[in-house]
Amino acid sequence: MKRKLIYIFSCWLSFLILFVACDDMEDKPFTSSIIGDPTETGTAELYVLCEGLFNQNNSSLARFSFGNQQMVRDYFKAVNRRGLGDTANDMAIYGSKIYVIVNISSTVEVIDFRTGSSLKQIQMLAENGSSRQPRYIAFHKEKAYVCSYDGTVARIDTTSLSIEAITSVGRNPDGICVQNEKLYISNSGGLDYSSGLGVDNTVSVVDIATFKESSKLTVGPNPGKIVAGPDETVYVATRGEDIEAGDYNFVKIDCRTNKVTQCNEKVQNFAIDGDIAYLYNYNYTTQTSSIKMFNLKTEETIRENFITDGTVIKTPYGININPYSNNVYITEARDYTTYGDLLCFNQQGQLMFRLNNIGLNPNTIVFSDKASQSNIDDNDDDTENPLAFANKVWEYRPAPGQFINTTTSAYKDGFTYDEILEEATRRIQQKSLITLGGFGGYIVLGFPQPIPNVTGEYDFKVRGNAYYNSKTGTGKLGGSAEPGIVFVSKDANGNGKPDDEWYELKGSEYGKDTETREYEITYYRPNLANQNVFWKDNKKNEGYILRNSYHNQESYYPLWIEDDEITFQGTRLKDNAVLENGLWVGYCYPWGYADNHPNTKEGSNFKIDWAVDSNGTPADLDQIDFVKIMTAVNQDAGQMGEISTEVTTVENLHFKK
């Protein structure tokens, strides 16, 4: 299962997710629901940015119009017929335009406020073509300033929408604001979290007139969210080197003197309204969250619990203030597996209204006192024909792993195997992530119609969650590849079941010394559920599926399996993950394996012509009815966890409408 570093996500509120590229997240059918009376002072519309799933290209932008009480959940896509991209982090309205920062896609999407149409997609690329990975945006006198993880701030002219200049700041900037004709940029150093460098602890001060860094202020380890405050101040949340230990603080910068003061408040995310700050904190020990009201001038707590009416928010995700009404908006991420909600509270902490099912992981809300002129209706129709995709899970036998017994393994407490299959089918139909666990774990998928073998063409695509790092130590393609071997079968006996012969698709490593054929591994249920899972193989090796602090479910051994031992057989690929400068890089095999290249790349496509029998003889199939995918690497990759192939769906590239 892919993990990512502290710097990747925009979730200030739940830093456990910051380490995981694709955790227990899923889409579900959208059903609009409004609770309460959505009325607002001086506000015509609001926009909600939803970051989606890392590396799944499913960020979205929702629009709610107070005039007609209409929600358009995927507003940008409905207007532009394409998505925003991968992992949208920040958004702002400036002048007549909406600006959206899309981190992994490395773009700034500029949208015409009046029509919702894209005006320009600004590519945030370095001179060598690598992604800068933009993070946050601020504005000053017709210029936009975008900080990026590559240690830079870009100045963009808001008329021409061109990048005018780039300046260097600290390591992995993770926030930006404007105060007193200066830019204040929080340097997280999150990219270096596991390296010898460690996190950064500074805020860069950039003079806007010269666009040069004038000073660096030491504020504390791993600074993130940064906001301009009253009386020429700036506030920043420092997250520390150990997130779970609660080593985060609320820090004040006096911009007149550059004096830095600790406010003795634990805070991960916050919003400021005049002299009042709303401070969010999460306790990893008790697994509870809190939002308090704090007076910035007196540095006294106004209310320990901002919410006064008993409303419960399971997972607060973003905090935003409506500048026209001063109402407080909090987004709810739920369990990161379903569409989140938006809740509006008055300053007395009473819930005024709630908009349910806004989108996946909603983070930023912006408000407008003017209405746009786009009359587009909500359109949740999937542009991809369901006949083109797998629609049934026939078998699902995952090996132990860090995401077993979570929703990513189609599990809920007490589920039987039949219920697991039913839930796995639902997830596949919705293109939600399913993990196969360690080596040998597999899934068998069926389709609404056979997949024909078209000679010379790719016949189907296996979608996973692999992605490329912009730079690897060798320069070769790599990032989060977790390769799985793919098998195909034709319903030769015509009974509609996957009980005919299976044929392996020859990948790039077939017949080479990078694979071990007839490999067998046995996993053993631990005596205590919360222990590491021991394994032995037929090559006289042994080891463990190791537990980690990020996934604390009861057991990593599948709870629905009654046997105390699970044995898998198949072809093992050579370990592909390498530790480089403190970070694990999963290198891609050239072709022919699932979850090995990003879904948009040719390397995720497959040909039925590659099918061979157990003797290596070409199968010569005219079509297939079933696909099996199996994790093919047996490797522990440190902080990344065990190598485990993930699947969201299989696409028939020749389907008939």
Side-chain angles (χ1 to χ4, degrees):
M1 175 63 76
K2 284 75 155 175
R3 293 177 185 257
K4 54 187 181 146
L5 298 174
I6 259 178
Y7 67 93
I8 290 288
F9 264 104
S10 68
C11 342
W12 321 281
L13 308 179
S14 180
F15 276 91
L16 180 61
I17 273 297
L18 295 175
F19 291 88
V20 181
C22 288
D23 202 338
D24 302 344
M25 305 181 189
E26 64 175 294
D27 287 327
K28 73 173 186 178
F30 172 66
T31 53
S32 180
S33 177
I34 300 174
I35 299 175
D37 181 18
T39 57
E40 268 287 23
T41 302
T43 310
E45 293 177 346
L46 62 82
Y47 295 80
V48 187
L49 185 64
C50 303
E51 67 190 39
L53 301 177
F54 176 77
N55 200 46
Q56 294 297 301
N57 249 353
N58 60 353
S59 297
S60 62
L61 176 64
R63 183 192 70 181
F64 181 77
S65 301
F66 286 95
N68 60 12
Q69 301 285 285
Q70 183 185 66
M71 169 65 69
V72 183
R73 181 179 64 92
D74 206 343
Y75 176 63
F76 180 85
K77 188 175 183 179
V79 174
N80 296 280
R81 313 310 300 174
R82 66 174 174 86
L84 279 171
D86 196 340
T87 315
N89 285 155
D90 195 22
M91 170 178 60
I93 297 176
Y94 189 77
S96 62
K97 304 179 184 72
I98 303 173
Y99 296 78
V100 179
I101 308 300
V102 191
N103 176 243
I104 303 303
S105 295
S106 204
T107 59
V108 178
E109 191 73 58
V110 187
I111 303 165
D112 180 75
F113 173 81
R114 184 179 62 87
T115 65
S117 299
S118 174
L119 296 172
K120 187 174 183 179
Q121 190 180 63
I122 303 172
Q123 301 293 322
M124 301 295 291
L125 303 176
E127 289 75 10
N128 63 1
S130 63
S131 299
R132 293 193 183 277
Q133 291 190 293
R135 189 66 169 148
Y136 290 98
I137 191 168
F139 297 87
H140 186 68
K141 295 182 178 178
E142 310 305 319
K143 306 293 181 184
Y145 298 90
V146 179
C147 67
S148 298
Y149 277 139
D150 70 339
T152 64
V153 175
R155 185 177 72 210
I156 300 172
D157 183 81
T158 58
T159 301
S160 67
L161 301 180
S162 59
I163 299 174
E164 293 185 333
I166 301 286
T167 194
S168 296
V169 288
R171 291 186 286 123
N172 317 132
D174 206 15
I176 186 170
C177 70
V178 178
Q179 185 67 283
N180 280 6
E181 300 294 319
K182 294 181 175 63
L183 301 173
Y184 289 79
I185 302 101
S186 56
N187 302 313
S188 71
L191 191 65
D192 304 315
Y193 177 76
S194 300
S195 72
L197 290 174
V199 298
D200 205 327
N201 63 359
T202 63
V203 166
S204 289
V205 184
V206 173
D207 183 77
I208 290 179
T210 64
F211 200 45
K212 299 291 184 183
E213 183 184 71
S214 59
S215 61
K216 275 193 176 78
L217 308 177
T218 300
V219 296
N222 195 11
K225 184 71 173 289
I226 191 167
V227 178
D231 301 325
E232 300 179 69
T233 59
V234 164
Y235 290 85
V236 60
T238 62
R239 299 164 296 194
E241 298 186 24
D242 187 350
I243 299 297
E244 291 193 42
D247 186 23
Y248 22 82
N249 289 283
F250 193 44
V251 178
K252 172 184 174 181
I253 301 172
D254 187 327
C255 301
R256 294 163 295 193
T257 64
N258 282 344
K259 181 181 178 181
V260 176
T261 307
Q262 296 279 343
C263 295
N264 296 319
E265 292 290 337
K266 300 293 186 182
V267 59
Q268 292 172 310
N269 188 28
F270 64 96
I272 292 177
D273 180 22
D275 294 334
I276 305 300
Y278 297 86
L279 310 180
Y280 172 85
N281 183 42
Y282 185 82
N283 189 311
Y284 284 92
T285 302
T286 63
Q287 297 187 347
T288 57
S289 60
S290 63
I291 301 171
K292 70 164 55 178
M293 289 182 70
F294 184 78
N295 189 304
L296 296 175
K297 282 194 172 181
T298 65
E299 297 188 357
E300 295 176 345
T301 298
I302 300 173
R303 280 203 309 271
E304 285 289 345
N305 190 349
F306 161 66
I307 299 173
T308 58
D309 62 2
T311 300
V312 176
I313 305 178
K314 180 181 177 181
T315 315
Y317 209 62
I319 303 176
N320 300 264
I321 308 296
N322 185 342
Y324 306 109
S325 67
N326 302 110
N327 287 328
V328 180
Y329 284 72
I330 301 171
T331 61
E332 160 75 279
R334 296 182 179 271
D335 57 1
Y336 311 105
T337 71
T338 55
Y339 291 132
D341 306 336
L342 177 154
L343 295 86
C344 173
F345 294 86
N346 60 24
Q347 291 177 301
Q348 288 71 49
Q350 299 166 327
L351 181 66
M352 298 179 64
F353 63 87
R354 179 173 188 146
L355 306 179
N356 290 331
N357 303 310
I358 294 291
L360 193 58
N361 295 327
N363 54 33
T364 304
I365 307 168
V366 296
F367 307 86
S368 174
D369 59 346
K370 300 179 178 62
S372 61
Q373 296 180 19
S374 174
N375 294 320
I376 195 163
D377 293 326
D378 194 20
N379 182 2
D380 192 54
D381 292 336
D382 194 342
T383 58
E384 298 177 313
N385 194 313
L387 294 176
F389 298 91
N391 68 340
K392 183 177 177 64
V393 176
W394 283 93
E395 293 183 52
Y396 177 49
R397 301 287 185 184
Q402 63 187 319
F403 286 89
I404 301 305
N405 303 318
T406 72
T407 57
T408 309
S409 64
Y411 181 76
K412 295 181 181 179
D413 287 345
F415 263 22
T416 64
Y417 182 55
D418 287 342
E419 291 171 318
I420 292 284
L421 287 180
E422 183 179 346
E423 175 65 12
T425 293
R426 187 188 70 82
R427 293 183 66 85
I428 285 293
Q429 290 175 349
Q430 296 184 357
K431 305 183 184 70
S432 298
L433 200 72
I434 291 184
T435 184
L436 305 186
F439 174 86
Y442 69 90
I443 191 168
V444 176
L445 303 175
F447 303 85
Q449 56 183 249
I451 302 176
N453 182 357
V454 180
T455 303
E457 296 184 14
Y458 291 112
D459 302 305
F460 64 92
K461 175 189 288 288
V462 179
R463 297 189 188 181
N465 66 338
Y467 62 91
Y468 296 149
N469 286 354
S470 57
K471 296 180 181 179
T472 60
T474 65
K476 298 179 179 179
L477 291 177
S480 69
E482 297 180 286
I485 290 176
V486 179
F487 304 81
V488 297
S489 180
K490 179 181 177 179
D491 185 18
N493 61 19
N495 67 357
K497 299 178 181 180
D499 55 4
D500 294 283
E501 184 174 359
W502 284 101
Y503 302 93
E504 181 180 339
L505 297 190
K506 292 174 61 174
S508 60
E509 308 313 295
Y510 188 88
K512 298 181 180 179
D513 60 4
T514 49
E515 66 170 15
T516 302
R517 306 196 71 78
E518 298 181 357
Y519 183 77
E520 181 176 295
I521 190 171
T522 299
Y523 301 94
Y524 300 87
R525 187 191 304 275
N527 293 326
L528 297 176
N530 63 354
Q531 293 180 329
N532 300 328
V533 178
F534 179 68
W535 59 262
K536 287 183 178 179
D537 66 17
N538 61 346
K539 305 297 180 182
K540 298 182 179 181
N541 301 307
E542 59 186 45
Y544 291 92
I545 299 291
L546 299 173
R547 292 183 65 85
N548 57 61
S549 60
Y550 314 119
H551 305 286
N552 295 312
Q553 67 269 30
E554 179 181 353
S555 178
Y556 286 10
Y557 189 97
L559 292 174
W560 65 91
I561 293 178
E562 296 180 358
D563 296 333
D564 291 334
E565 299 177 9
I566 315 170
T567 298
F568 295 96
Q569 298 173 327
T571 298
R572 173 184 172 179
L573 295 176
K574 182 180 177 181
D575 293 355
N576 70 311
V578 178
L579 187 62
E580 296 179 351
N581 299 318
L583 305 176
W584 285 91
V585 177
Y587 278 94
C588 311
Y589 285 111
W591 54 270
Y593 302 100
D595 201 22
N596 182 51
H597 291 275
N599 298 330
T600 57
K601 303 299 182 180
E602 185 178 352
S604 64
N605 294 342
F606 295 80
K607 295 181 180 180
I608 298 174
D609 277 340
W610 298 342
V612 295
D613 65 17
S614 58
N615 298 315
T617 304
D620 194 25
L621 298 169
D622 62 335
Q623 65 181 43
I624 61 170
D625 298 277
F626 308 100
V627 170
K628 178 165 68 176
I629 303 156
M630 181 196 80
T631 299
V633 175
N634 180 25
Q635 183 183 8
D636 178 78
Q639 66 187 22
M640 189 174 165
E642 78 284 344
I643 299 297
S644 58
T645 302
E646 274 83 51
V647 181
T648 60
T649 190
V650 175
E651 180 182 1
N652 178 354
L653 298 178
H654 308 306
F655 83 98
K656 297 179 181 179
K657 296 182 179 179

